[in-house]
Amino acid sequence: MWTSERSRNLPAKEAAAELGAVTLGGDPAGVSLGGERRWLTVYSPGGYSWRPTAGDRVLVLKAGAEGESPCILGTAQGERTLGPGEVRIDGGSSSVYLGRGRLELTGNVYINGKNLADLIPGLKK
């Protein structure tokens, strides 16, 4: 009897991670998780930095013993299809693509602050 009574009174445990929509872009960011949460720190792999944009779908980890420190781990992948081993990094109107034996750069390319088109004589702008 005691064990059956105890199991009925257990509080519902909150999920350790949730999908949310960014309401305030940047770092820290605001995310809607049923209600808006603000000042969420954004994490990414070492050496890589990014700032979510309003409207992005993100994965929020609820860190801490009671989930009191939510943070953003990443965004849902876009609808572009990539093959196994291919990589694409998008930022604004620029992108880097690695795959199928080639490297593709979209946007203006700068080397040490100088436009590549200015460094190579005869290169079309």
Side-chain angles (χ1 to χ4, degrees):
M1 180 83 162
W2 175 81
T3 56
S4 64
E5 289 294 320
R6 188 176 79 168
S7 66
R8 276 195 276 167
N9 296 327
L10 290 176
K13 186 160 177 135
E14 191 173 308
E18 279 188 67
L19 294 175
V22 174
T23 55
L24 296 170
D27 182 11
V31 177
S32 176
L33 298 167
E36 186 179 42
R37 300 286 304 262
R38 292 195 179 185
W39 299 103
L40 276 69
T41 302
V42 177
Y43 288 89
S44 59
Y48 180 84
S49 297
W50 68 281
R51 303 292 178 258
T53 303
D56 284 351
R57 291 181 11 212
V58 294
L59 177 63
V60 176
L61 174 68
K62 296 176 183 174
E66 300 293 323
E68 71 277 5
S69 301
C71 57
I72 298 173
L73 296 181
T75 61
Q77 291 191 27
E79 296 191 15
R80 296 179 189 251
T81 52
L82 293 173
E86 295 178 344
V87 176
R88 182 180 193 89
I89 301 171
D90 292 307
S93 60
S94 301
S95 66
V96 176
Y97 167 81
L98 300 165
R100 292 179 259 161
R102 67 180 190 255
L103 163 67
E104 292 180 16
L105 304 172
T106 304
N108 292 316
V109 177
Y110 287 81
I111 299 174
N112 291 328
K114 295 184 180 180
N115 191 313
L116 181 62
D118 295 335
L119 296 173
I120 301 174
L123 186 66
K124 292 182 182 180
K125 288 187 180 185

